Amino acid sequence: DLTPVCQNVEGGRKFEASSDIAIDNGIIQVIFDSSTGMMKGMQNDNTSVDLSQEWGYYTSYKNKKGIDDRGKLQNSGAYVFRPAHSTLNILDNQCGKTVFYQSDLVTEIRSEFSSWVKQIIRIKKNHRYVEVEYTAGPVPINDGNGRELVTRFKSSIENNGIFYNDANGRDFVK
């Protein structure tokens, strides 16, 4: 049974907390900004990491003429990330909806960044990780343009430019 702890609802009401919100699961502590509901950092016994996340989208490439100047026909679409330009349109928490739910086993932070991007962050008791789940759609195309949705995490981790990805649930790729 999840119980709302604090919320930032449409209409501009702030979280009941006046400072950052710390969620501790017994192994890690995750810090949230009380005014936005966004993650600010994580820490365990040995390490502390500053963290930020943002959602945004690129306008999809759409080739109306057939073959482009490089001899390509490929438009942006399923499995093809091909933005029309390099401008990232940031989705702030436009709906202003973030609610923290807490039970004995899990804390969930549910945020709505726009009418088409929602996120749930789960912090489970005695687990060494944080789950980030999102739902996208329906993606607005009423202006005739598709959208390439991205989320970007920034951290204070010094990784010498090396990044690992899980390749859609398969082995990690460097």
Side-chain angles (χ1 to χ4, degrees):
D1 184 32
L2 294 174
T3 306
V5 177
C6 54
Q7 57 188 349
N8 180 6
V9 297
E10 198 166 7
R13 196 177 74 139
K14 297 290 184 188
F15 287 103
E16 295 168 11
S18 59
S19 60
D20 292 339
I21 299 167
I23 307 294
D24 193 316
N25 73 354
I27 296 177
I28 59 173
Q29 183 180 62
V30 183
I31 312 300
F32 293 87
D33 184 303
S34 64
S35 64
T36 65
M38 297 295 290
M39 283 189 286
K40 287 182 66 174
M42 297 176 75
Q43 58 189 37
N44 63 16
D45 292 339
N46 305 321
T47 307
S48 180
V49 175
D50 295 328
L51 182 65
S52 68
Q53 178 194 14
E54 59 189 2
W55 283 95
Y57 68 89
Y58 296 94
T59 301
S60 298
Y61 176 79
K62 183 169 48 177
N63 182 356
K64 297 177 184 176
K65 298 177 185 174
I67 298 176
D68 68 12
D69 59 343
R70 292 176 288 167
K72 303 286 183 185
L73 288 168
Q74 186 67 54
N75 286 332
S76 194
Y79 307 106
V80 178
F81 177 76
R82 190 168 186 200
H85 46 76
S86 62
T87 303
L88 178 63
N89 302 288
I90 300 297
L91 295 172
D92 293 321
N93 197 334
Q94 296 170 350
C95 290
K97 295 180 184 177
T98 298
V99 181
F100 286 66
Y101 291 92
Q102 196 164 32
S103 75
D104 293 338
L105 300 176
V106 66
T107 299
E108 286 190 356
I109 299 85
R110 300 179 187 176
S111 298
E112 192 170 326
F113 296 93
S114 72
S115 62
W116 56 284
V117 179
K118 297 166 182 65
Q119 174 176 278
I120 299 174
I121 297 172
R122 285 188 192 92
I123 304 164
K124 296 178 181 177
K125 196 77 165 171
N126 296 318
H127 282 71
R128 296 186 180 280
Y129 59 85
V130 174
E131 284 182 21
V132 179
E133 177 184 321
Y134 67 92
T135 303
V139 176
I141 56 170
N142 54 339
D143 60 358
N145 293 313
R147 307 225 178 340
E148 302 285 353
L149 181 65
V150 297
T151 188
R152 180 167 41 193
F153 289 91
K154 296 178 185 178
S155 76
S156 59
I157 295 173
E158 294 182 23
N159 63 355
N160 298 322
I162 298 172
F163 177 78
Y164 292 88
N165 187 1
D166 74 351
N168 292 322
R170 295 178 285 219
D171 291 332
F172 279 99
V173 177
K174 187 174 180 179

